[in-house]
Amino acid sequence: MQSLPTFILSAVGFFFLYYFEITNLWLIAFFGVLMVAFAIFPTLNILLWEKDIPKIERFLLKNKKNLTFYTVYALANGLDEEIKSSTEKLVSKSKQRSRQALYKIGEALHFKDLEAANEELSYITAPAYRAYYEGFIRLEEGDLAHANRIIDEIQTTWMKNTLMAERERLAGQLDEAIHYAEAAKKNSKGLQYYTLHKTFE
């Protein structure tokens, strides 16, 4: 859908450059950067800022050949076989052990395989995500004291609220869980918002 407007704008722009005989490299480079930004903005908007669930879902399904996007869709919608298949493919394609760990831990937590999830924790290099996933694991293990220490230390608002929602859900405090779930959604956007929305449904 975006390729036609991009093509039209590019054609008009190049005609403009040619017609006015603009040869300044800075202006040409600026135009090139503008074209790239115009082409990728719709995708970035969906990934990072969008909050329209049907729109995000249409994007994910339209781009289902992209394993990363389809894995997000499969995890959010609880498609067990697709989760296993796409995670296996992502892991085999990735050469970064930390990225492999993120794929594997997402799958392990979905299937409540806490042993497998624990094995992947040390390979996650981003401290915030390592703490976030460890918080989930400790909550599922019933280690509330450890989980609470992790929750207290987490700085990212949506991560903290998501863990608090899970803690209250496991404790049977559904009103509190809903409160924290809504707060987590409010402080997230794009694919993260979509994932949280589908999880909290």
Side-chain angles (χ1 to χ4, degrees):
M1 294 285 280
Q2 189 63 22
S3 57
L4 182 59
T6 302
F7 173 77
I8 292 170
L9 187 62
S10 298
V12 170
F14 283 116
F15 173 77
F16 179 84
L17 292 173
Y18 174 77
Y19 184 80
F20 291 101
E21 298 181 357
I22 295 173
T23 56
N24 183 300
L25 287 178
W26 288 109
L27 281 175
I28 294 171
F30 174 75
F31 177 75
V33 169
L34 200 62
M35 289 301 94
V36 171
F38 183 79
I40 66 173
F41 177 76
T43 298
L44 284 179
N45 183 54
I46 292 284
L47 299 180
L48 303 177
W49 301 297
E50 188 60 66
K51 286 199 169 190
D52 183 330
I53 295 299
K55 190 172 182 179
I56 298 171
E57 193 151 87
R58 282 194 301 273
F59 171 85
L60 292 173
L61 289 173
K62 182 182 173 185
N63 293 279
K64 65 190 299 183
K65 289 185 179 177
N66 181 310
L67 281 173
T68 302
F69 294 155
Y70 191 65
T71 303
V72 169
Y73 177 81
L75 280 165
N77 290 279
L79 306 177
D80 292 354
E81 291 305 314
E82 286 86 344
I83 291 167
K84 290 176 183 176
S85 172
S86 58
T87 301
E88 184 179 332
K89 289 174 186 173
L90 282 171
V91 168
S92 67
K93 284 188 171 189
S94 177
K95 292 180 170 57
Q96 294 181 338
R97 187 62 183 89
S98 59
R99 189 173 292 275
Q100 291 176 350
L102 286 170
Y103 297 142
K104 288 181 176 182
I105 206 165
E107 178 188 34
L109 286 174
H110 173 78
F111 291 108
K112 308 293 185 188
D113 186 346
L114 301 183
E115 183 178 346
N118 267 310
E119 287 174 4
E120 297 304 320
L121 267 180
S122 62
Y123 295 106
I124 298 175
T125 54
Y129 279 94
R130 187 168 58 244
Y132 177 64
Y133 286 118
E134 185 177 6
F136 268 110
I137 294 168
R138 300 303 164 243
L139 285 170
E140 287 294 332
E141 290 174 337
D143 189 348
L144 194 57
H146 194 170
N148 282 333
R149 285 198 299 275
I150 292 169
I151 291 170
D152 288 342
E153 291 172 4
I154 284 181
Q155 301 296 313
T156 307
T157 306
W158 71 261
M159 288 183 174
K160 182 185 286 282
N161 284 317
T162 301
L163 288 171
M164 291 168 84
E166 180 66 5
R167 181 185 66 192
E168 298 306 318
R169 185 189 71 80
L170 290 170
Q173 304 295 325
L174 295 186
D175 288 342
E176 286 296 305
I178 290 169
H179 166 75
Y180 288 121
E182 290 300 323
K185 283 174 59 181
K186 184 179 177 182
N187 287 283
S188 63
K189 298 173 185 175
L191 291 188
Q192 193 57 60
Y193 179 83
Y194 174 79
T195 303
L196 291 177
H197 175 82
K198 298 297 280 189
T199 300
F200 293 144
E201 274 185 332

